[in-house]
Amino acid sequence: MVMAELIHSLSYEGELQNRIQGDVLVPGNEAYENARKAWNLNVDQYPAVILVAESARDIAEGVQYARDMGLGVAVQSTGHGITLEANDCLLITTSKLNEVEINEVQQTAWIGAGVVWADVLEKAQAHGLAPLLGSSSAVGAVGYTLGGGMGWLARKHGLSADSALEFEVVTADGRLIFTNETENSEMYWVLRGGGGSFAIVTSMKIKLYPITEIYGGTMIYPAEEAKPALNFYREWIHFLPEDWTTSFAIMNFPPIPDLPPFLSGKSVVMINGCYSGEDLNAGAMMAQAWLDWKQPITNSFRRMPFKEIDSISNDPKDPSAGKSSGAWLKELDEDTIEALVENAIGSPIMKFEVRYAGGAVSHTHNNAFGHRDAKHIMQMLAITPTKEALTQAEADIADFKRVMAPHLTGGVYMNFLEGKESRQETRNGYPTDKFERLMILKAKFDPDNIFRFGFNIPPKR
Ligand SMILES: Cc1cc2nc3c(=O)[nH]c(=O)nc-3n(C[C@H](O)[C@H](O)[C@H](O)COP(=O)(O)OP(=O)(O)OC[C@H]3O[C@@H](n4cnc5c(N)ncnc54)[C@H](O)[C@@H]3O)c2cc1C
């Protein structure tokens, strides 16, 4: 940071600190260094000033202050899904807004902007209720929901955005307002799938579902079985009720001594699933079809308490350096499977997961979420410990998407994109009419684009 910028940052510190309860951090101290970090270790950002919010009012003051100073405003909960690094702006961190209030009778939760799913999961399960979290409970509930939010109950209960009932937000002109189906309903529409570019959410109310136990897990088959296994998967899911949410993954594990020998340096196929119907034995019987087909190398399918749901995907909890990407498949036919197997096995990209959407994900909802008609969403994940590895992974992913193009709809799921690719592809996260409406609403809610660090939705001129 050059001297003039540092002097600017220091002047922000005193003025803003007088207006808020939380901490104001500027470059040059350890607290700033910690707060500028993100869960994704590829992110290396230098905000002009960081506001560690302790209340919704702090956020409103912060936004007003940033406006007066001509600064853009970025918001971060965990840093799992950064699309544009928060450089030379006000970064508002929400991690201290971590209250969770469960209403057992209504089957709802009010949660603060900094809450991670693990907190909701624990508190909701104490009342026999489940939230619509995703594959990792370390992810922030609000950021996940704003992009849609597709987890292990998606085919049964839809996206997290579909179960978001109300939001309290700070608008681009620094006002604190409520939005729901009837109040400020355009804002409500946009927040459910349109991302964090329209307002800063300070808290939200979500529906919960009475689930305490599920049947789920993973079976692993060797790479040589990939084609028959995925063709069997295609037939299997055809008969599954919406109580099942499933995925398969082609994994290319690096040679790591910590991994068991059947995974270290190997490619494998994983069949993952979660059954949340009333009779878990029925789920077990449907999973038995796999064992009757061929014995896997390992099988972790079992009845499990819902609070152990993270064990299905086993995502990393600690901060990691990775590049995520994704694309909707046109369909899962034999040609698509052939192309996937040919191009994914042995690829430098570590993970190719194809989640079965459809079911409740495809039900119509009056909100901004982009693509509900396609049935299979692919996510790719590369491990990127260095900047060079990140550049290489970006190129590998682009190459893979190019060869797979005949099998892709051209649409993307915004939650699975990040960084540069997210900025470039935002338009493909939505059908044309929805993207048009998003740009019109962006012009209405944030004409100066101060919330420009979320999804890349330009105000309609
Ligand atoms: C390990 C892992 C597992 C995942 N699993 C799934 C999954 O199963 N299903 C799925 O759908 N997605 C999944 N994701 C993607 C995840 O939902 C997105 O990355 C999401 O944006 C993360 O939100 P966050 O708040 O944790 O991250 P952050 O990086 O803190 O926030 C991401 C963005 O959300 C917006 N945002 C956050 N808080 C606010 C707020 N209070 N007001 C306005 N905007 C805000 C901002 O634009 C911010 O840049 C996963 C990601 C990872 C890394």
Side-chain angles (χ1 to χ4, degrees):
M1 178 166 280
V2 292
M3 188 52 79
E5 283 168 349
L6 183 60
I7 290 166
H8 249 113
S9 288
L10 291 173
S11 72
Y12 297 140
E13 186 180 21
E15 288 172 40
L16 183 54
Q17 188 64 78
N18 289 337
R19 294 166 64 163
I20 67 152
Q21 241 182 311
D23 290 331
V24 174
L25 309 172
V26 292
N29 71 52
E30 206 184 322
Y32 171 93
E33 284 304 314
N34 285 330
R36 74 176 186 83
K37 287 184 185 148
W39 183 89
N40 191 330
L41 299 175
N42 286 138
V43 173
D44 187 22
Q45 55 192 3
Y46 291 88
V49 54
I50 301 176
L51 189 172
V52 183
E54 288 202 3
S55 65
R57 219 189 117 252
D58 276 359
I59 295 182
E61 287 290 339
V63 170
Q64 285 165 18
Y65 181 77
R67 283 206 79 91
D68 295 345
M69 292 292 136
L71 291 171
V73 180
V75 56
Q76 184 173 311
S77 158
T78 67
H80 273 77
I82 306 292
T83 58
L84 182 61
E85 291 181 341
N87 289 320
D88 308 322
C89 64
L90 168 66
L91 170 63
I92 297 180
T93 65
T94 58
S95 52
K96 288 198 172 170
L97 302 178
N98 52 12
E99 339 68 56
V100 177
E101 210 180 292
I102 307 291
N103 185 322
E104 190 176 334
V105 177
Q106 283 184 7
Q107 303 194 337
T108 58
W110 256 116
I111 63 183
V115 166
V116 297
W117 279 121
D119 300 338
V120 193
L121 183 61
E122 191 192 328
K123 296 209 163 102
Q125 283 287 280
H127 299 271
L129 297 169
L132 300 184
L133 76 169
S135 57
S136 165
S137 64
V139 167
V142 167
Y144 167 92
T145 301
L146 294 176
M150 200 183 297
W152 283 117
L153 300 175
R155 280 176 41 80
K156 185 161 186 183
H157 294 300
L159 303 168
S160 180
D162 303 335
S163 278
L165 302 170
E166 255 176 278
F167 297 89
E168 183 194 64
V169 304
V170 171
T171 59
D173 52 4
R175 286 174 304 121
L176 195 60
I177 63 165
F178 279 95
T179 83
N180 57 30
E181 196 78 59
T182 52
E183 205 175 335
N184 299 306
S185 57
E186 283 182 315
M187 180 67 91
Y188 181 60
W189 183 88
V190 96
L191 292 174
R192 289 171 304 140
S197 309
F198 296 84
I200 298 186
V201 174
T202 55
S203 59
M204 69 174 181
K205 183 181 181 182
I206 52 170
K207 261 195 238 168
L208 302 171
Y209 297 89
I211 297 170
T212 53
E213 217 188 355
I214 50 122
Y215 184 81
T218 294
M219 291 183 206
I220 300 183
Y221 289 92
E224 306 78 66
E225 302 282 5
K227 270 186 212 169
L230 298 187
N231 278 307
F232 185 68
Y233 175 85
R234 195 160 64 85
E235 288 167 27
W236 182 59
I237 58 172
H238 192 66
F239 296 101
L240 294 184
E242 293 183 2
D243 291 329
W244 272 104
T245 298
T246 65
S247 77
F248 69 81
I250 292 173
M251 301 288 301
N252 301 304
F253 286 105
I256 298 177
D258 289 353
L259 288 170
F262 67 90
L263 295 181
S264 181
K266 300 267 175 29
S267 297
V268 294
V269 177
M270 291 180 165
I271 308 297
N272 311 304
C274 169
Y275 177 83
S276 56
E278 297 228 322
D279 176 9
L280 296 186
N281 289 330
M285 276 167 66
M286 288 179 244
Q288 176 67 34
W290 279 96
L291 305 177
D292 296 343
W293 177 71
K294 231 165 238 178
Q295 278 302 314
I297 308 173
T298 63
N299 172 17
S300 69
F301 270 84
R302 64 190 166 101
R303 284 176 90 110
M304 68 170 93
F306 188 75
K307 55 174 180 275
E308 292 176 19
I309 191 80
D310 274 0
S311 70
I312 300 182
S313 301
N314 242 327
D315 285 344
K317 288 276 162 63
D318 292 336
S320 305
K323 157 76 187 152
S324 169
S325 177
W328 287 98
L329 298 183
K330 281 185 186 154
E331 52 192 326
L332 192 63
D333 56 13
E334 265 190 86
D335 288 351
T336 308
I337 288 173
E338 172 102 17
L340 258 173
V341 170
E342 292 301 319
N343 293 293
I345 290 182
S347 156
I349 303 163
M350 186 182 74
K351 179 176 181 180
F352 298 81
E353 182 175 16
V354 176
R355 300 190 189 191
Y356 185 26
V361 175
S362 57
H363 297 173
T364 307
H365 286 269
N366 185 21
N367 62 34
F369 183 76
H371 298 294
R372 291 184 185 273
D373 37 355
K375 299 266 183 302
H376 298 276
I377 178 71
M378 176 170 59
Q379 186 191 17
M380 289 150 272
L381 185 70
I383 304 299
T384 55
T386 61
K387 278 212 158 68
E388 294 70 36
L390 177 61
T391 307
Q392 185 60 50
E394 286 167 349
D396 293 339
I397 285 171
D399 284 348
F400 179 78
K401 280 188 159 186
R402 243 187 315 278
V403 288
M404 286 299 291
H407 308 283
L408 308 179
T409 66
V412 295
Y413 172 37
M414 291 307 294
N415 268 6
F416 287 167
L417 300 190
E418 61 196 4
K420 246 190 287 173
E421 194 188 13
S422 167
R423 306 289 300 170
Q424 286 160 0
E425 291 279 320
T426 308
R427 201 171 271 270
N428 296 326
Y430 306 89
T432 313
D433 55 339
K434 278 202 175 171
F435 195 71
E436 187 67 20
R437 185 165 182 210
L438 284 168
M439 290 192 296
I440 291 168
L441 291 176
K442 177 73 176 174
K444 179 170 175 179
F445 294 133
D446 182 19
D448 302 324
N449 205 3
I450 70 162
F451 299 137
R452 54 182 167 268
F453 296 88
F455 298 168
N456 184 12
I457 300 169
K460 176 97 179 165
R461 302 286 174 210

